[in-house]
Amino acid sequence: MTEPSASGDPQGPSKNALKKAAKEKEKAEKKAAAKARELAERQKKEADDANDVSADCYGELPMVGSPEFKPSNLPRVNLADIVELADKEIVFRCWVENARVQSAKLAFLNLRQGLNTIQAVVAASEKLSKQMVKFAGNISTESTLVVHGLVKKTQEAVKSATIKDYEIHITKLFIEAKAEVPLPMQIEDAERPLPSEGLGNEDEKAAGDEGRPLVGLNTRLNNRTLDLRAKINHCIFVIKSGVCELFQEFLRGKGFVMIQTPKLQGAASEGGSNVFEVKYFDRPAFLAQSPQWYKQMLVASRFPRVMEIGPVFRAENSNTARHLTEFTGLDLEMEFQENYHEVMGLLEDLMLFIFKELNVRYKKETELVRSAYHVEDFKLPESGKVPRIPFVEGIKMLREAGEELGDYDDLTTPQEKHLGRLVLEKYGSDFYVLDQFPLAIRPFYTMPSPANPLLSNSYDMFMRGQEILSGAQRIHDAELLRKAIRNYDPPLDPDSPAFKDYVDGFRFGCPPHGGGGFGLERIVQFWLGLPNIRMCSLFPRDPQRIMP
């Protein structure tokens, strides 16, 4: 008699047990098949690697400077010279803007060097493997490469690159510095305009013309190393460097001497409260608000014309699109013969020289930046025809246009911009001067006007309706200066340690002199028509930002 099964079924195993056994068998077969495929793929890869004709022509280089690194000593070229390199084998460093695999045998890369971009082709052949094609098409964006290739003229213009008539047929390709992925922001987003004139990220989620989210200023500044890689930012700082170069070139030709004045001071300069206090060993010190006093002391020291480019610190809690707490000052001071307008005339000619040379020497960079922001060309007057508008006339123009303000009120930023539009309409110039400001709104060392004691021999210069320079004839007589300090609002003590050395500099005779200080970042901002001055500072400082 047959014994019953454990399930109680005298006929054998249950259906559930059979199903379970079948599943386990199927699972084991699949696992074995997967291992077999993995082994076959590994063996194929090993075989392919062994037969990779390009094995030594691509990959990651050892770190430059490490014991493993072996220099090639091959000369490197600049892509700016590409026309002269047609049909030649070249080697160059670049980085990847884009890499894509078109097929198993073809990959394209967009490579950048400086402001130049070029298309590169990696095509499989008897001398170039499919493995190299795959490697090239999967290189992470922003990685730094060393490329060997043949320069070939294209049959059609390459729309995605600045170099449109040539491309690189790559023969060797090495990663010199690999970029980590994902990037915190895309470089192409930094090429696009800011979402608004706002300072924060309130517009981060707004969509641009292409449907991509707009990246706000804070995100860009928080990732400044990446942000500065954008071509538009390179152009901004090439132009900024150019303004400094032109400033020195013009003034050196007029007999000016470059100076360097202290930025650490034992007393608050100009008697102002908007200064940064720092600890200087066992006593307080202050960061310089300007080189003003030192410029004047040097004129008194028989340096008739001096200029300086240096940092300026202002502890002003101004969170606007045109204020920084640290900016670069372009300063000059000079003696004049009989009228402070001699100084104004030189300043006007200086700026016209800078503007005209920017249009010539930095035309490409200027046009690239302005094209992103759709800014009109900067309207220039002729030499000797810069609009010089007395302050009282500027007040009159604004009143006639509907503004309400008193005869001696300082202008607000909106009123300055309004006046700029009126001047452009009347005189056809984006650059102009306001002269004879009210004495009460100028520094204590400003010379009063002989025509009206409520006015002063002082002036501001404007670009697109916004101030770029404040200047004046300075008081050069020690007793008049002491009186001005005492009568200042609030009154100050000319015999205090803060003022004594400065005032004493005029006791031994000083010629009449004047000058001014430009804000470099403002010149660049308004020349290019940029919405925010922080774009013109490599690592901007404002009341909310002191990093990176």
Side-chain angles (χ1 to χ4, degrees), residues 171-234:
T171 55
K172 294 182 181 181
L173 180 65
F174 301 102
I175 297 177
E176 191 173 47
K178 189 175 184 178
E180 295 181 8
V181 291
L183 298 173
M185 60 176 284
Q186 298 301 315
I187 308 305
E188 61 184 296
D189 291 334
E191 302 283 7
R192 301 160 66 235
L194 286 176
S196 76
E197 291 192 18
L199 305 182
N201 291 327
E202 62 274 13
D203 295 318
E204 292 272 329
K205 296 181 181 179
D209 295 337
E210 301 168 5
R212 295 177 59 90
L214 294 173
V215 180
L217 184 60
N218 273 343
T219 296
R220 298 187 185 191
L221 295 179
N222 289 339
N223 298 281
R224 193 58 161 159
T225 304
L226 281 177
D227 183 48
L228 286 172
R229 295 184 181 188
K231 287 188 284 291
I232 190 170
N233 286 329
H234 273 244

Side-chain angles (χ1 to χ4, degrees), residues 279-318:
K279 185 177 181 181
Y280 190 74
F281 299 104
D282 60 346
R283 57 194 183 277
F286 304 89
L287 297 180
Q289 292 173 291
S290 83
Q292 182 58 47
W293 291 5
Y294 295 104
K295 291 189 302 177
Q296 291 182 255
M297 292 163 75
L298 283 165
V299 172
S301 300
R302 304 293 187 250
F303 286 84
R305 295 186 169 200
V306 294
M307 61 177 168
E308 178 172 10
I309 299 177
V312 175
F313 301 92
R314 299 283 172 87
E316 298 174 350
N317 193 16
S318 298

